[in-house]
Amino acid sequence: MNRMKMGKTLIAGIILSSLMLLIAVFGPLFAPHGPKDQVKIEYVVVEGGDSYVYAPPISPGKDGYPLGTDKDGYDILTKLLYGARYTILLSLGIAAARLAAGGLIGMLLGYFGKPTSKKSSGSSVWSVLNGIPTFLIVWLVMLGITMNPAASPIAMSLLLAGVLTLLGIPSIASTVREKTIVLRERQFVTAAEALGAGRWKVIGSHLLPHLKEAFLILLLQEVILVLSLFGQLALFHIFVGGTTEYFDPIEYHSRTNEWGGLIGQARGSFYANQWIFYSPLCAYVLLLISLHLLSKGLEKRYNRMFSNFSHL
């Protein structure tokens, strides 16, 4: 870390985020049960002639189910471990795609464009783009195709990823543009231009290295934002990978076991069998906390580094 001492916030963020990433990649290998293993209703007769009905949901810690089962008899821990890849890797992929496209556009606009005042048309255009109600647009796009879709869960996940990526590019571009405008006025940039460095050389050798810390922080912030959108959409039964809708009674189930979807489909267990609701909720909150700690730790470190060359 360039010989700079890491703070406790950053260390905690790195540890927790690394653990979450490992779960996303290797989680299914440690699942205690198969994704289709299901506890069936059984009529059990014990010694002495007594009998009882063995039926889900199974409470946490009983019969080899550390987090218990849902009301359909599926192991909650297994569902979390299988759904982690959709929750973590997909949100990371969407954030990376947003950053790649928006970051490039923002750097080009910031370096090649002319500085604009707050009242200028260019600034107002970006304000309009940044004001796009992302949740509402995604909800409208996905509402008619997410229920019992014919497409595979992966295809539906990629479709949602594409929509979220496109809608997130303007915000990233605007942020990077403002940072680039500030950096291009620094003396190390003007000195490089005076010495004959081409514009693309300046961008690649001077602007990009000084923006890499900001890009990493933006990446983490975008992951948090995408995860928040996953959770908001799940409240309206729009789950990552598509929603399976059952009738009589009406129920909504996640096809991928993405954590936001597990929370959304378990809202009916808020008062009874609460582990079905709180297990994915705790996993989801812990993921957000780990990313928040990592983002804040990096932001503090970046601010210290930026202050070191702000006098140039």
Side-chain angles (χ1 to χ4, degrees):
M1 288 288 184
N2 294 335
R3 295 178 296 179
M4 292 189 68
K5 184 178 179 181
M6 293 189 296
K8 294 180 179 179
T9 301
L10 181 56
I11 294 174
I14 291 175
I15 293 174
L16 289 175
S17 298
S18 299
L19 177 61
M20 289 293 175
L21 188 59
L22 289 174
I23 291 174
V25 176
F26 301 107
L29 298 177
F30 299 96
H33 301 276
K36 295 183 179 180
D37 291 349
Q38 184 180 18
V39 177
K40 303 292 186 179
I41 298 177
E42 297 182 30
Y43 185 76
V44 181
V45 178
V46 297
E47 294 183 4
D50 294 332
S51 63
Y52 65 93
V53 176
Y54 184 77
I58 307 301
S59 59
K62 291 183 60 178
D63 304 326
Y65 296 96
L67 298 181
T69 72
D70 61 16
K71 63 183 183 60
D72 297 313
Y74 293 104
D75 179 47
I76 293 177
L77 178 57
T78 297
K79 297 178 74 170
L80 288 172
L81 292 174
Y82 273 87
R85 62 184 64 180
Y86 286 94
T87 305
I88 300 172
L89 298 183
L90 186 64
S91 62
L92 182 60
I94 294 171
R98 284 180 167 189
L99 186 62
L104 177 60
I105 293 172
M107 279 196 298
L108 295 179
L109 290 175
Y111 185 68
F112 291 105
K114 295 181 180 179
T116 55
S117 65
K118 294 183 178 180
K119 297 182 179 181
S120 65
S121 59
S123 178
S124 62
V125 169
W126 284 110
S127 297
V128 171
L129 291 175
N130 290 335
I132 294 176
T134 302
F135 168 76
L136 180 60
I137 293 178
V138 177
W139 179 76
L140 290 173
V141 170
M142 300 300 297
L143 180 62
I145 60 177
T146 196
M147 297 297 175
N148 299 320
S152 68
I154 293 179
M156 292 298 296
S157 298
L158 292 176
L159 174 60
L160 177 62
V163 174
L164 289 176
T165 297
L166 290 175
L167 293 176
I169 289 175
S171 176
I172 292 290
S174 179
T175 300
V176 174
R177 172 179 172 270
E178 295 301 322
K179 292 181 180 294
T180 302
I181 289 175
V182 173
L183 282 175
R184 78 177 186 180
E185 303 300 327
R186 298 292 182 185
Q187 290 185 11
F188 64 86
V189 174
T190 57
E193 293 173 336
L195 292 173
R199 289 185 171 184
W200 292 106
K201 178 68 173 178
V202 172
I203 291 176
S205 300
H206 297 280
L207 294 181
L208 189 57
H210 284 91
L211 285 170
K212 63 181 182 180
E213 292 274 354
F215 280 162
L216 183 54
I217 293 172
L218 277 174
L219 175 66
L220 294 171
Q221 292 174 344
E222 286 299 305
V223 174
I224 294 173
L225 179 59
V226 171
L227 288 171
S228 298
L229 286 170
F230 285 177
Q232 293 174 39
L233 290 169
L235 293 177
F236 293 87
H237 310 300
I238 297 178
F239 304 147
V240 175
T243 304
T244 299
E245 182 179 10
Y246 295 99
F247 301 93
D248 195 25
I250 295 178
E251 292 183 350
Y252 302 93
H253 288 237
S254 170
R255 301 167 76 204
T256 62
N257 292 319
E258 186 272 326
W259 293 357
L262 292 179
I263 297 171
Q265 74 181 45
R267 285 183 296 168
S269 300
F270 185 80
Y271 296 105
N273 305 318
Q274 295 177 333
W275 67 87
I276 302 175
F277 174 79
Y278 282 107
S279 293
L281 178 63
C282 289
Y284 182 80
V285 171
L286 183 60
L287 174 60
L288 291 176
I289 290 175
S290 67
L291 293 170
H292 178 74
L293 291 174
L294 185 57
S295 175
K296 288 300 180 182
L298 287 172
E299 190 173 355
K300 290 179 182 179
R301 180 178 181 275
Y302 171 71
N303 289 337
R304 290 197 299 268
M305 293 178 60
F306 189 80
S307 64
N308 289 336
F309 63 82
S310 61
H311 63 280
L312 295 177

